Amino acid sequence: MRRRASLRRVDPWSVLKLSLIFYFCALLFFMMALTIFWAVVNRMGLIETLLTTLGQFRLDVTIQSTEIARAVFLIGLLNVIAWSGINVFIAFLYNLVADLIGGLNITLASEE
């Protein structure tokens, strides 16, 4: 048995909610991965090696991990807001185009 379905409208409010949740979870995952990466790099001693190498060139560099993490998180929040806005804009565009061409037609088949 086959059925045809047509997707004529996407609710922008639903797209916004889903996008915010998805991108915020992606940000949390990225922050967790970055924290693990930083811990591994720090444990291997690469940070101290880099700082001593830069010190040989008379460059005084200090690395503050809390400031780096804060900056990455704020940039990530801006990305969450920006990409969610882009998704809502695309939903509005889809609704406009779907009004003109009739939406997305899908044929569903079930096995019996």
Side-chain angles (χ1 to χ4, degrees), residues 39-99:
V40 168
V41 167
N42 198 17
R43 207 117 217 272
M44 290 172 55
L46 294 177
I47 302 299
E48 289 112 15
T49 305
L50 177 67
L51 291 177
T52 56
T53 304
L54 290 174
Q56 291 174 353
F57 293 111
R58 294 190 173 98
L59 295 173
D60 186 27
V61 178
T62 58
I63 297 177
Q64 297 177 349
S65 59
T66 57
E67 295 297 322
I68 293 172
R70 184 177 299 150
V72 168
F73 185 72
L74 290 176
I75 291 170
L77 280 180
L78 290 175
N79 279 328
V80 166
I81 294 168
W83 284 105
S84 296
I86 289 170
N87 286 347
V88 170
F89 178 71
I90 290 172
F92 277 119
L93 283 180
Y94 176 80
N95 289 338
L96 289 174
V97 171
D99 287 341

